[in-house]
Every structure is written in structure tokens, then in C-alpha cells.
């Protein structure tokens, strides 16, 4: 029976005898045989009593299931599933946990998706189960995730043999990295993990969203040390694709930006039971966290006595007199309203709002989490997160070039260190696609400047991108050829008006406009005469290194505003402008960027020469800083 969430299936009663033997010789050669062992902390699914759980394993159209265990939230199944022959390690499988009901349809409790090869990689496997929203199944009264334990009894002889899990004793150190967000948010931590493994021989466990499992594992092959993936729960991409999230992110107001920054950690509180579980089970020597994981890392450090280190990609969350928590932009027609909002973007106002967001009486709160672990609640109407981190001199590594940041703020503690931009360069920078190379060569042959618009995973509507691209090609003095990178999106859902589509088609046909999903910025940007980006740290760093004028526009979320303003302070481009206003200014802005002798062009070359690091990817500098700061790191004590 096909199973999807919301399509409940009845329990399939079987006549065959329950198999319990775990002796592989009792099963035919070529068969795949799995023991459904037990489950822990199954949530209550029925109004009366506990759950009546059973296990289903699905591979393609085939399914294999156990008998149900009546009224038990910690069931022991002890049932062997002889799945037979004909399977391949690359086959996708789905392991499901269901609750049996006598009268109504059965309810799915949760599931895990993986390949049969992953399922059979080790003799024993513990699965945490997901829900459709990406969050893990949690037994709330125990504040811990549901575990499903399986055991491999037999695999076909031509399959890779099962191996024992990684042994901590074989590595110099074990660190756990906590990170959630978009792929762009996660990528620098993968680069860091590769460096910690390759350079220092460390075991690195990356805890992040299931969506990025293949991305992490695809970058986990290292010649020294080891990298492994563990799920954190949650799905940021799914969250930001909702109508209300899109509305909030398109909002220009500083008030909305301040609210989103204040809530940024609260958005990930659902991961706390899972991340604490992994820390308690794996007992790493240290935990490295991103800024949205700070409070969870503090809880882990206090309760489990594990040192922590912040690897902070959004430095404006660190309080300082030199910058505000949210960098204001001109977002209203009435200047007085901008002036009012500008008074609410400072760190003190941000701390008060953050405290309210994290301890709102209308939702699961930070103090609820702390109390469940026997830790004292935070007091007062201001967030204690960064106050506590800074007061205890907890180590912070900020992977940003010091010159690009205009130097280290005087009021940062010595435990906060600026290093250099970090990039994921496994195997070097990949080459450009042939169609992009031809587009650039044709533009140069026509003596036309080339510029790129790149917004990564940010929700910039396609009609804005195309409208601006057409405007620049047609109306800029030097008529630049434009590469518009629109990201991995379904273009059929973002149709253009007939008139705009006609203009786009004409420019594409005349080889003056190229619309594509993406490209390796480290290679593409060095061929550009001007770069238009959304202001994310990684993309802006690549643009600054390219040595050409950098223009920041887009939805301008949080630190994207900081980097837009910083590009102007560095003298390589204008102040940031929101994407909804950029069409009105793009022609004059690009004309200035492309003008011979433009101060932006001169300064861009100078800045690029100053921020070229000692290494191509910045990994050695960040690895050295992390290793040095962790030598004396201590667990936090609030």
C-alpha cells in the first residue's frame, strides 16, 4: 500500500510465522535480512493508553512490516524481516513507524529515508524519525527524539560488507558542528569540517538539516580524519517557501528586519532536543556553533560540561558600538519614518526584542528548554545570550578578512578573532559551463562589458531580475551584456508578462542576456566588469576578491544590509538598495560602475589586493584559529 503523510493505511495482518532468528545461516543466500529491534520514546498517539507501534520498510513498490506491539511507548519488536533477493545498495528505502488502531485508520508516527547501502553500512543502526515539516519526532514529556533501532542480519554476498562505526579513539579530537539555515549558510561549516579533518586528523560530526545530507556526505571524503552527518531536524528551505515567510522577507522596513533577527534563534528551537541528544550520545570534545544555534550550544555546554566555540558568519549579532544590530537603509518615502525606525535597530533594543521572542508566553520558550535540563532560567527583559558569551570570554571565530571588516572593533574581547573568508574549494574551483564561456567571449569580442546578477537562494522574484536586466542592457550608456542567475527554481511558476517576456526573448536571441541557474562564483566573477549580488557573506567575499565594482541589492536580510553598507564604506560600490527600488537607480548606478576612471573601479582593485588571503580558500587560517582557541576553551557556567 502506498504511504504518504496524511494518507493513513490500515495494519496489514499477515498469516506467516514471526521470524526471530538472527543467525544469518538461517536465511537464503542473496537475501537482505533486517531485524526490527526496538523503539524508544514513541509519542502517545491515542486518546486512551499509549501507542501500538509497528515498523514498515518500503523499497519501491515492496513493503515489509512487523506485527504491532500493544500499548507500549518503548516497544521491543524483536522481529526479523526477510526482504528476499533482488535489491541494490543504491535503492532508496523508507523506514516508517506506525501506530495501529482497532477502529480508525492507522497513524504514521514518523519516517526515515535513506539508501539500502546506508541502512546496511553498520551492523546496528539507530534512526531518528522525521515529520513532513522536516522536524524530528519528539517525545515531549521526555524532551528527546524517538529512536528506532534496527540490526543487519544478512546482506547479499556481492554487497559491501558491514563495518563498525567510527571509533573516537582513532582521532586526535572529536568536534560537533551545529548549523542550520540555507545551503549557503551550511556550506562554510562543511569547508571548515574538511579542514579540521584533513589538517588536524579530527573526527567532525556535522549536525544539520536532512535536506543537506547528500551535500555533507558528498564532501566527506577526506584523506585524514573523518566527517559524518547527523540530522538536526527542520527544513529551512520549506519554511522560507511559505507565503508569510516570503511576505516578511520582501518587507523593507527596519522594524521587520529587527523582528526577524530577534526571532532568528527562536526559529530553530525545535532542534534543541535532537542536538542535545546527539551531544549526549556522542560526547564530543567540543561543540562549534553558528549564531542561530548559540542558545542551544550554551545549554549543551552548561549541562554536559562541553567547551563551545562560535563560528559566526553574521558578526553584527555580536554587540558593538561600531555598528547597529540591523543596518538601516532608505525604505520609506517619508524620511521621518526612517528616522523613527533607525532608533530601534541598536543592540539594546534588539536584546529586549530577542528576549521577548525567545520567551513569549505564546510558544515554547528558551527558559522552558533550560528548565527541562535543570538550568537556571534567564532573567530580565534583555537577552543574556551574547552577554554571557562575551562575559565568559567564550571563543568566537569570525571567518571574515579584517580589512574587509574595516578592522576588529575595539570593544570586542580578545576571545573574538577575525580570520579570513572561507570557501568550499574541494578539488579547486570548477570551470564555467561552455554556454557561459561562449557568452562572455562573445561579449568581449563585441567590446561590451559583462555584468552578473546573482541572488543565490534568496527569494528575489524573477520578474524583478528580468526587468532590471532588460533595463540595463537597453539603457546603460555602454549597453552591457548581462548574466542573470535566477537560482534553482521552477520557472514555470514565475511567468513574465507578455511584453517583458518578449523583451527577454529578444535579448537572449541577440546574445545580450543569459539566464541561468547558477555558476561557480570563484571562476565567474573574475571575468566580470561589474557584479550585482544580494549581500550574503560568501557571495560578497567572492565579489570583493574579483576586484571590480560590487553593487548590493535584493531583499536585504539582516547581514546582507551590513555587507551592502560595507561595500560603500570600502569604496567599491554604492549604498545598498532594496530590489523593489533598484530598477529606478540601476542604470545610473551601473553607468558609474562601468565608467572609465570611476572611483569604485579604482578602489575595487585596491581592496582586492588587500584581502587576498594566504590561501585560496581561507581554510588553513580558520582551522588554525579554531584549534588555538579550543586549546583553552572551557564549558560555559551561567
Amino acid at each position: 500500500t502506498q504511504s504518504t503523510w496524511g494518507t493513513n493505511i490500515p495494519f496489514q495482518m499477515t498469516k506467516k510465522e514471526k521470524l526471530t532468528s538472527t543467525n544469518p545461516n538461517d536465511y537464503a543466500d542473496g537475501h537482505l535480512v533486517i531485524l526490527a529491534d526496538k523503539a524508544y520514546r514513541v509519542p502517545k498517539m491515542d486518546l486512551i493508553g499509549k501507542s501500538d507501534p509497528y515498523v514498515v520498510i518500503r523499497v519501491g513498490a515492496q513493503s515489509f512490516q512487523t506485527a504491532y506491539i500493544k500499548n507500549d511507548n518503548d516497544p521491543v519488536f524483536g522481529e526479523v524481516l526477510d526482504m528476499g533477493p533482488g535489491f541494490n545498495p543504491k535503492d532508496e528505502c523508507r523506514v516508517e513507524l506506525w501506530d495501529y488502531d482497532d477502529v480508525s485508520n492507522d497513524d504514521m508516527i514518523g519516517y526515515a529515508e535513506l539508501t539500502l547501502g546506508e541502512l546496511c553500512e553498520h551492523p546496528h543502526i539507530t534512526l531518528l524519525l522525521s515529520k513532513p515539516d522536516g522536524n524530528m519526532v519528539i517525545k515531549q514529556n521526555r524532551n528527546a527524539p524517538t529512536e528506532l533501532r534496527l540490526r543487519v542480519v544478512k546482506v547479499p554476498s556481492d554487497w559491501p560488507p558491514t563495518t563498525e562505526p567510527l571509533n573516537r579513539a582513532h582521532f586526535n579530537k572529536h568536534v560537533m558542528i551545529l548549523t542550520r539555515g540555507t545551503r549557503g549558510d551550511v556550506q562554510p561549516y562543511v569547508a571548515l569540517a574538511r579542514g579540521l579533518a584533513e589538517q588536524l586528523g579530527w573526527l567532525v560530526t556535522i549536525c544539520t538539516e536532512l535536506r543537506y545530507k547528500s551535500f555533507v556526505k558528498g564532501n566527506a571524503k577526506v584523506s585524514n580524519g573523518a566527517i559524518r552527518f547527523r540530522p538536526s531536524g527542520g527544513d529551512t528551505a520549506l519554511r522560507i517557501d511559505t507565503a508569510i515567510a516570503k511576505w516578511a522577507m520582501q518587507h523593507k522596513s527596519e522594524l521587520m528586519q529587527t523582528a526577524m533577527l530577534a526571532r532568528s534563534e527562536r526559529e530553530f528551537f525545535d532542534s534543541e532536543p535532537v542536538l542535545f541528544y546527539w551531544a549526549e550520545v556522542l560526547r564530543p570534545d567540543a561543540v562549534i556553533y553558528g549564531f542561530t544555534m548559540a542558545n542551544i550550544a550554551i545549554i549543551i555546554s552548561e549541562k554536559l560540561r562541553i567547551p563551545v566555540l562560535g563560528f559566526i558568519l553574521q558578526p553584527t549579532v555580536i554587540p558593538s558600538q561600531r555598528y547597529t544590530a540591523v543596518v538601516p537603509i532608505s525604505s520609506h518615502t517619508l524620511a521621518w519614518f526612517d528616522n523613527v525606525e533607525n532608533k530601534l535597530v541598536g543592540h539594546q533594543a534588539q536584546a529586549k526584542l530577542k528576549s521577548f521572542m525567545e520567551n513569549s508566553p505564546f510558544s515554547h520558550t528558551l527558559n522552558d528548554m533550560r528548565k527541562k535540563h535543570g538550568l537556571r532560567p534567564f532573567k530580565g527583559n534583555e537577552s543574556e545570550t551574547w552577554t554571557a558569551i562575551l562575559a565568559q570570554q567564550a571563543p568566537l571565530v569570525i571567518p571574515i578578512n579584517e580589512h574587509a571588516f574595516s578592522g576588529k572593533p575595539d570593544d570586542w574581547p580578545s576571545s573574538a578573532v577575525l580570520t579570513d573568508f572561507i570557501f568550499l574549494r574541494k578539488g579547486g574551483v570548477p570551470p564555467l559551463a561552455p554556454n557561459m564561456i561562449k557568452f562572455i567571449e562573445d561579449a568581449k569580442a563585441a567590446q561590451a562589458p559583462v555584468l552578473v546578477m546573482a541572488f543565490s537562494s534568496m527569494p528575489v522574484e524573477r520578474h524583478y531580475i528580468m526587468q532590471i536586466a532588460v533595463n540595463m542592457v537597453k539603457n546603460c550608456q555602454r549597453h552591457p551584456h548581462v548574466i542573470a542567475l535566477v537560482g534553482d527554481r521552477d520557472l514555470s511558476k514565475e511567468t513574465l508578462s507578455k511584453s517583458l517576456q518578449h523583451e527577454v526573448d529578444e535579448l537572449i536571441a541577440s546574445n545580450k542576456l543569459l539566464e541561468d541557474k547558477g555558476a561557480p562564483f570563484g571562476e565567474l566573477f573574475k571575468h566580470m566588469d561589474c557584479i550585482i549580488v544580494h549581500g550574503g557573506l560568501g557571495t560578497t567575499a567572492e565579489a570583493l576578491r574579483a576586484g571590480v565594482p560590487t553593487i548590493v541589492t535584493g531583499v536585504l536580510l539582516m547581514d546582507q544590509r551590513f555587507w551592502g553598507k560595507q561595500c560603500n564604506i570600502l569604496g567599491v560600490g554604492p549604498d545598498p538598495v532594496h530590489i523593489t527600488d533598484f530598477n529606478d537607480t540601476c542604470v545610473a548606478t551601473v553607468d558609474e560602475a562601468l565608467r572609465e576612471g570611476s572611483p569604485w573601479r579604482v578602489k575595487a582593485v585596491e581592496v582586492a589586493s588587500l584581502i587576498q588571503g594566504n590561501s585560496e580558500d581561507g581554510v588553513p587560517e580558520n582551522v588554525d584559529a579554531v584549534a588555538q582557541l579550543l586549546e583553552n576553551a572551557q564549558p560555559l557556567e551561567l
Side-chain angles (χ1 to χ4, degrees):
T1 307
Q2 184 69 26
S3 82
T4 57
W5 202 281
T7 306
N8 298 331
I9 64 169
F11 176 73
Q12 307 274 312
M13 296 298 292
T14 59
K15 300 289 186 181
K16 64 182 182 180
E17 179 183 358
K18 176 180 176 180
L19 302 176
T20 59
S21 172
T22 56
N23 184 347
N25 296 324
D26 290 342
Y27 302 95
D29 290 341
H31 281 216
L32 176 60
V33 185
I34 303 293
L35 168 68
D37 190 6
K38 60 188 73 172
Y40 293 105
R41 299 180 296 276
V42 177
K44 173 182 168 67
M45 301 296 290
D46 300 325
L47 291 176
I48 300 175
K50 303 176 182 178
S51 293
D52 306 313
Y54 62 94
V55 177
V56 179
I57 300 179
R58 301 182 185 280
V59 186
Q62 299 186 66
S63 64
F64 310 87
Q65 68 184 62
T66 69
Y68 71 88
I69 305 297
K70 190 168 181 62
N71 200 37
D72 197 337
N73 289 341
D74 296 295
V76 177
F77 301 105
E79 183 167 349
V80 174
L81 300 175
D82 184 352
M83 299 169 62
F87 295 108
N88 186 288
K90 295 182 180 180
D91 290 341
E92 297 287 337
C93 81
R94 178 163 157 141
V95 182
E96 303 168 348
L97 188 64
W98 286 80
D99 173 51
Y100 171 74
D101 284 313
D102 286 314
V103 180
S104 62
N105 285 339
D106 298 352
D107 300 310
M108 189 190 291
I109 299 168
Y111 62 89
E113 295 178 327
L114 64 171
T115 66
L116 288 177
E118 291 172 323
L119 182 68
C120 300
E121 184 177 3
H122 305 302
H124 300 267
I125 184 169
T126 297
L127 298 175
L128 303 190
L129 306 177
S130 297
K131 299 187 290 186
D133 61 1
N135 287 320
M136 294 298 188
V137 179
I138 303 295
K139 178 74 169 169
Q140 294 297 341
N141 64 348
R142 298 196 207 173
N143 195 44
T146 299
E147 290 182 41
L148 177 59
R149 296 190 178 183
L150 308 175
R151 177 180 161 190
V152 179
V153 176
K154 188 167 190 171
V155 297
S157 59
D158 58 345
W159 282 31
T162 58
T163 59
E164 290 301 322
L166 295 171
N167 187 333
R168 162 65 184 89
H170 296 161
F171 302 94
N172 298 330
K173 190 183 285 285
H174 174 208
V175 295
M176 189 166 78
I177 294 178
L178 314 182
T179 175
R180 282 195 56 192
T182 66
R183 174 169 159 159
D185 295 325
V186 173
Q187 187 163 301
Y189 295 92
V190 176
L192 177 66
R194 287 183 57 82
L196 294 172
E198 289 275 16
Q199 292 175 224
L200 305 177
W202 290 5
L203 169 62
V204 185
T205 301
I206 301 180
C207 294
T208 189
E209 300 171 18
L210 199 58
R211 175 181 291 270
Y212 308 122
K213 181 176 81 168
S214 60
F215 172 60
V216 172
K217 297 187 86 168
N219 285 282
K221 293 180 180 178
V222 287
S223 60
N224 191 27
I227 300 170
R228 60 185 177 186
F229 168 87
R230 292 294 183 269
S232 65
D235 190 335
T236 298
L238 197 62
R239 290 289 291 271
I240 66 176
D241 198 41
T242 61
I244 189 168
K246 288 180 178 178
W247 172 81
M249 286 189 289
Q250 294 288 347
H251 212 288
K252 295 185 286 185
S253 164
E254 273 72 42
L255 288 175
M256 181 62 74
Q257 292 294 318
T258 302
M260 285 194 291
L261 180 60
R263 190 175 166 79
S264 57
E265 282 195 62
R266 171 63 189 86
E267 284 293 313
F268 302 117
F269 279 2
D270 288 344
S271 288
E272 186 273 329
V274 181
L275 297 175
F276 187 91
Y277 164 87
W278 287 125
E280 189 170 36
V281 168
L282 299 176
R283 292 286 172 166
D285 300 302
V287 168
I288 298 173
Y289 62 91
F291 94 99
T292 58
M293 300 283 105
N295 273 308
I296 295 175
I298 289 173
I299 289 173
I300 290 171
S301 183
E302 284 186 88
K303 185 65 178 179
L304 301 179
R305 312 305 302 150
I306 298 174
V308 293
L309 177 145
F311 195 71
I312 308 301
L313 306 176
Q314 296 84 359
T316 58
V317 301
I318 304 172
S320 174
Q321 294 296 317
R322 205 179 79 186
Y323 48 78
T324 54
V326 173
V327 174
I329 62 171
S330 177
S331 55
H332 298 284
T333 305
L334 299 175
W336 67 266
F337 199 80
D338 275 331
N339 292 335
V340 171
E341 284 194 316
N342 290 352
K343 297 177 181 178
L344 303 175
V345 298
H347 291 286
Q348 188 173 6
Q350 173 68 22
K352 291 179 183 293
L353 186 57
K354 184 175 186 290
S355 177
F356 173 78
M357 291 288 189
E358 293 173 352
N359 287 295
S360 166
F362 308 109
S363 64
H364 179 56
T365 70
L366 171 59
N367 280 339
D368 288 337
M369 294 192 306
R370 293 183 61 81
K371 289 175 184 177
K372 286 179 179 178
H373 293 291
L375 302 173
R376 76 157 180 88
F378 284 168
K379 298 177 181 179
N381 62 354
E382 291 190 17
S383 172
E384 294 187 36
T385 309
W386 292 100
T387 303
I389 289 172
L390 297 178
Q392 297 198 32
Q393 295 277 309
L396 300 174
V397 172
I398 298 89
I400 295 172
N401 178 277
E402 189 165 340
H403 181 83
F405 200 66
S406 298
K408 179 180 175 179
D410 294 336
D411 51 1
W412 278 14
S414 59
S415 55
V417 177
L418 287 164
T419 52
D420 199 0
F421 299 122
I422 188 169
F423 304 99
L424 184 61
R425 296 271 202 255
K426 186 187 72 168
V429 181
L432 297 177
N435 68 319
M436 200 161 288
I437 294 173
K438 185 177 187 307
F439 182 86
I440 295 169
E441 289 176 345
D442 289 349
K444 299 296 184 184
Q447 297 186 322
V450 188
L451 64 84
V452 61
M453 302 172 66
F455 299 104
S456 299
S457 58
M458 287 297 102
V460 177
E461 295 177 25
R462 181 174 173 242
H463 77 90
Y464 283 127
I465 299 174
M466 291 298 107
Q467 185 181 49
I468 292 164
V470 169
N471 192 7
M472 293 188 298
V473 173
K474 288 190 170 184
N475 297 314
C476 284
Q477 293 176 8
R478 295 184 61 189
H479 302 291
H481 292 194
V482 174
I483 298 172
L485 301 180
V486 297
D488 190 11
R489 62 176 81 189
D490 185 354
L491 299 185
S492 65
K493 294 181 180 179
E494 293 193 61
T495 56
L496 306 176
S497 67
K498 288 185 179 180
S499 59
L500 180 56
Q501 186 65 61
H502 177 71
E503 290 182 293
V504 168
D505 291 342
E506 280 190 334
L507 292 179
I508 290 175
S510 61
N511 210 27
K512 295 178 180 178
L513 174 63
L514 175 64
E515 182 180 14
D516 210 329
K517 290 185 176 181
F521 294 156
E523 180 62 26
L524 174 64
F525 285 0
K526 65 186 182 183
H527 298 287
M528 297 296 102
D529 296 290
C530 176
I531 298 168
I532 300 172
V533 293
H534 67 290
L537 171 59
T539 311
T540 306
E542 296 274 27
L544 291 173
R545 279 189 164 193
V548 297
T550 298
I551 300 167
V552 174
T553 184
V555 292
L556 299 180
L557 300 177
M558 296 183 281
D559 70 317
Q560 295 167 12
R561 293 175 171 225
F562 171 83
W563 284 110
K565 185 66 177 177
Q566 192 65 13
C567 284
N568 179 247
I569 292 172
L570 292 171
V572 302
D575 272 331
V577 176
H578 196 273
I579 191 68
T580 55
D581 301 320
F582 188 57
N583 196 45
D584 296 332
T585 62
C586 65
V587 171
T589 300
V590 170
D591 279 345
E592 175 59 22
L594 297 178
R595 181 174 62 84
E596 197 68 36
S598 165
W600 296 345
R601 299 180 67 81
V602 175
K603 202 67 177 177
V605 173
E606 178 187 326
V607 169
S609 68
L610 292 170
I611 67 170
Q612 298 298 330
N614 295 324
S615 63
E616 182 189 11
D617 57 14
V619 170
E621 295 88 334
N622 282 283
V623 167
D624 289 346
V626 168
Q628 184 176 348
L629 288 172
L630 279 181
E631 283 183 4
N632 300 311
Q634 299 294 322
L636 295 177
E637 189 72 62
L638 272 66

